[in-house]
Amino acid sequence: MISKFLVATVSGLTVVAMASSALAQAAPLAKPAAAPVAPQITHGPAITGLCVFSSGAIRGASVTGKAMDARLKALQTSAEAPLTAREKALQTRIEAYNAGAKTAAVDINAREKQKSDLEVEQNALQRDAGHMQLELVATANLAQQQYGAELQPAVIAAYQQKQCSMLLERNGVAIFNPAMDISAQIIALLDARGKAATFQSFERTKLTQQQAAQLAAELQRN
């Protein structure tokens, strides 16, 4: 079915939301389990010169990171809307075609023409949905590059201000003294650059068929 294709290819975030909603409706009411109590940890002294940061926390908490994610989500929503409308219209025609099989007087030639037209439209919709998805990937890549260009100076500045000798990604460290985390400083320096508004005018990257094919090949290799 064409709807299954769109769910799988076009509406990734929508699928997650729908699945979560369906699960919430289907699950029986039960008292939520108590959250496990975090163990008390006594840290040793902060290691001089050793710093950690969380790229994910910075992106999720900074005004700049949130502006980028919000714009990418808006671009995805606007890109999905016309394809969703086409899908619904096509599904209506498919249902009408299926219902026509129960009609006593059936024009075989007309039925074959209808079937052929539906298949052509379904293939076109699948092709356009795949192309749109690749354009969104290209857009996200460019946005990430721009975000990274703003993040790097903030990371370096915080590193120097805190007189770090080594900087580690927090996700790669099991336990650490919170005093060594410079994520908050990086967020402040990133947002101080005042580039969050630049993402509001970010537009979807348009790809030619050749560019889309090249990107698809790159994604397969990776």
Side-chain angles (χ1 to χ4, degrees):
M1 293 295 293
I2 186 63
S3 58
K4 292 183 179 179
F5 173 84
L6 285 179
V7 165
T9 308
V10 182
S11 306
L13 294 177
T14 304
V15 171
V16 174
M18 292 174 60
S20 299
S21 175
L23 181 60
Q25 294 176 8
L29 296 178
K31 183 177 180 180
V37 178
Q40 294 295 323
I41 299 176
T42 301
H43 299 282
I47 302 173
T48 302
L50 181 59
C51 303
V52 299
F53 81 111
S54 171
S55 57
I58 292 169
R59 177 167 172 171
S62 66
V63 174
T64 308
K66 288 188 285 189
M68 178 182 67
D69 288 339
R71 183 55 182 165
L72 291 176
K73 179 63 182 299
L75 290 174
Q76 178 182 4
T77 299
S78 63
E80 289 176 357
L83 291 173
T84 300
R86 284 172 59 185
E87 179 202 16
K88 290 181 179 179
L90 177 58
Q91 187 62 39
T92 299
R93 291 176 57 195
I94 291 174
E95 291 173 356
Y97 171 83
N98 291 334
K102 302 176 182 178
T103 304
V106 178
D107 186 331
I108 301 300
N109 292 330
R111 290 280 296 174
E112 287 298 322
K113 180 64 166 57
Q114 286 180 323
K115 179 181 178 182
S116 177
D117 290 345
L118 290 172
E119 289 175 346
V120 169
E121 187 172 345
Q122 178 172 333
N123 290 335
L125 182 56
Q126 291 177 345
R127 182 176 61 252
D128 292 346
H131 189 88
M132 179 273 293
Q133 185 68 22
L134 290 170
E135 289 188 339
L136 289 177
V137 170
T139 304
N141 288 342
L142 288 177
Q144 183 61 46
Q145 291 175 14
Q146 183 172 331
Y147 171 78
E150 300 302 328
L151 176 62
Q152 184 179 25
V155 172
I156 293 174
Y159 179 90
Q160 293 175 330
Q161 289 178 10
K162 299 296 287 187
Q163 298 183 331
C164 302
S165 299
M166 180 182 292
L167 181 60
L168 302 176
E169 167 60 52
R170 196 168 75 186
N171 291 339
V173 182
I175 303 176
F176 58 89
N177 187 320
M180 298 188 296
D181 190 347
I182 64 170
S183 297
Q185 288 83 356
I186 296 174
I187 290 173
L189 290 166
L190 173 62
D191 288 339
R193 295 177 62 83
K195 298 299 180 69
T198 61
F199 290 102
Q200 295 176 1
S201 59
F202 215 77
E203 296 297 336
R204 192 171 103 209
T205 301
K206 298 299 183 181
L207 299 178
T208 64
Q209 293 296 334
Q210 182 178 2
Q211 290 170 330
Q214 291 174 346
L215 178 55
E218 291 176 5
L219 293 174
Q220 289 182 343
R221 287 196 297 268
N222 297 333

